[in-house]
Amino acid sequence: MSAPVRIGGAALGLCIATLAISWPGVSMYDSVWQYEQALSGRYNDWHPPVMAWLWAMLHPLGRGAAPMFVLQILSYWLGIGLWACGIARTGRWRAAICVLVVGACPLFLGWQVAVLKDAQMTAALLAGTGLIAWWRLADRAVPIAALFAAGGLLLYAVSVRSNALFAVVPLVMMLTRWKPLRRITIGLAALMVVLAVSPFVNTRVIGAEHSNVTHAQPLFDLAGIAHFGGQAGRVGLHHGEHAMIATRHCYTPFFWDPLGDGDRCGTVFDRWSALPAGEVGGAWAAAILHHPFAYVRHRLAHLNSTWRFIVPFRYPSAAPPLGGEPNSLGLRNPGPAHRWLALSGAMLAETPVGWPIAWIMVAAGVLFVARTMSGPARDLALALAVSALMLEASFAVISIASDLRYHLWSMIAAALAAILIAHRAERRDVTLAGAAVGIVVGVAIVARLALPVGPLTYRAMLG
């Protein structure tokens, strides 16, 4: 039996085990909300409505989360399996086993069994890139049918997660054989096209209602500017709102949620929700222009939080969920075996495996190490690394929460990229890249040892 067949069999076994351990999937707060829309047929655009629409289409196949759970787990392990088998076909069976280990990592897998847009995006990206890798690693042209299938998966990833645009467009551009200037030009054009078309698809094709979700980012940034700019940073906020943000602690770099909490700070968001998008955008831009340093301090504070760099031990929203959100819609929790998967993932979340900043450095190291290489593995590694880094860079401007699940694709993509080039890397380059990773991880460890443990639950983070 050949190595690719054995590796493929192992991937299939891991897929079946995942389905059995975490059946019928974990339904969190966002999942319940989207399932309710799928049942009613009335969608809004707070979460990309494509996922709720697809859930409604799959509902005849089974009630609850099971259809979406099966879809994302099959896609996830299809992608991991294709990557692993493609690498094994080149004779690197140890590297193929490493790919399976990455896929089976309890932290990644513990989040992947949650029926969420982030897991759907990651699964679609893995399956799409896996299809391309299967052919590219053999130095063969990708068949038209495989290209269409991969394109559909990547398009779904973009549709289901707003930030996915910043991962997918650079990924596709890097997978082409165009010159750098052409890649950048067409990539920017593609970004603009997708940004323009997405609202039309959501509202006109799917029929989703506007939820004013686009107001959350400006309000979060205005609150951050007010926090770091003091009385001078009041642009866009009434005097009473500025005072409320300070006295009721409505701002935290961790997430925007206190601003939407009706019991404490919701009146601010209520007023902003009623304003036209143009007025909100104007106030947002004016605040940034008038207080650039306060804005930069706010965004850097949030970036540090979501990258989990200089943060205390047991920073919240990293551990995979033990169970789902209580509901009356028939969305059930997995059995006791899933608890062991989630607890194992929770332990890994407290190590560098669960720190996005560590994987960002790995992806950057791949760019450095691969600069003198050539060949299909190197090209695929660069595409994955650039995709991971561009997605992470987007959080510097577009991000309102620090949940670890937002970084699943970046972390897995960085790991795959490192595996792809490990066998051909120069020892000196690996030493330098490894030293950079070690320094950053060392600083993060010192921070966790030095900083006091903060609030540990969602409610406690709200204050």
Side-chain angles (χ1 to χ4, degrees), residues 332-363:
R332 298 183 290 111
N333 282 327
H338 168 77
R339 184 176 179 86
W340 291 103
L341 173 65
L343 289 174
S344 300
M347 288 189 288
L348 282 174
E350 300 304 329
T351 72
V353 174
W355 306 345
I357 186 63
W359 293 106
I360 290 168
M361 294 303 298
V362 169

Side-chain angles (χ1 to χ4, degrees), residues 86 89-90 130-144 146-147 175 177 375-377 379-380:
R89 192 166 58 168
T90 66
L131 278 171
I132 294 170
W134 170 256
W135 300 98
R136 284 283 189 91
L137 285 169
D139 206 13
R140 296 167 60 185
V142 183
I144 294 296
L147 279 176
L175 288 173
R177 291 186 168 90
D379 294 343
L380 288 166

Side-chain angles (χ1 to χ4, degrees), residues 41-101:
R42 297 184 60 185
Y43 310 103
N44 67 46
D45 62 358
W46 188 270
H47 298 288
V50 169
M51 180 176 167
W53 175 84
L54 178 60
W55 205 336
M57 296 299 102
L58 296 178
H59 190 253
L61 300 178
R63 296 188 60 82
M68 292 295 277
F69 173 65
V70 170
L71 174 67
Q72 73 185 40
I73 296 305
L74 289 180
S75 300
Y76 178 81
W77 280 112
L78 172 64
I80 292 291
L82 285 169
W83 275 105
C85 290
I87 291 173
R89 192 166 58 168
T90 66
R92 299 178 58 211
W93 62 268
R94 291 184 181 88
I97 291 174
C98 289
V99 172
L100 295 182
V101 170

Side-chain angles (χ1 to χ4, degrees), residues 254-441:
F254 183 78
F255 58 2
W256 89 285
D257 293 37
L259 291 161
D261 184 2
D263 295 334
R264 280 179 44 212
C265 314
T267 54
V268 181
F269 186 67
D270 289 343
R271 183 178 77 82
W272 275 81
S273 295
L275 296 177
E279 187 173 342
V280 171
W284 185 25
I288 294 171
L289 289 172
H290 283 85
H291 306 286
F293 295 111
Y295 172 73
V296 169
R297 288 179 65 190
H298 150 63
R299 292 311 308 178
L300 288 177
H302 176 68
L303 203 59
N304 174 68
S305 175
T306 196
W307 284 356
R308 297 175 181 268
F309 185 25
I310 310 297
V311 298
F313 180 62
R314 298 180 68 187
Y315 207 51
S317 298
L322 293 171
E325 184 78 10
N327 67 91
S328 59
L329 302 177
L331 295 169
R332 298 183 290 111
N333 282 327
H338 168 77
R339 184 176 179 86
W340 291 103
L341 173 65
L343 289 174
S344 300
M347 288 189 288
L348 282 174
E350 300 304 329
T351 72
V353 174
W355 306 345
I357 186 63
W359 293 106
I360 290 168
M361 294 303 298
V362 169
V366 167
L367 296 186
F368 174 73
V369 173
R371 73 191 188 285
T372 58
M373 297 180 182
S374 61
R378 177 258 192 190
D379 294 343
L380 288 166
L382 288 180
L384 290 172
V386 169
S387 174
L389 290 171
M390 291 303 295
L391 177 60
E392 293 301 320
S394 74
F395 294 129
V397 179
I398 304 173
S399 176
I400 59 174
S402 302
D403 299 48
L404 183 66
R405 57 189 170 98
Y406 302 152
H407 306 272
L408 281 177
W409 166 248
S410 298
M411 298 161 80
I412 294 173
L416 293 177
I419 292 169
L420 280 168
I421 63 166
H423 68 302
R424 294 181 55 198
E426 296 285 345
R427 180 174 296 181
R428 177 177 175 275
D429 289 345
V430 172
T431 300
L432 291 173
V437 174
I439 290 170
V440 169
V441 168

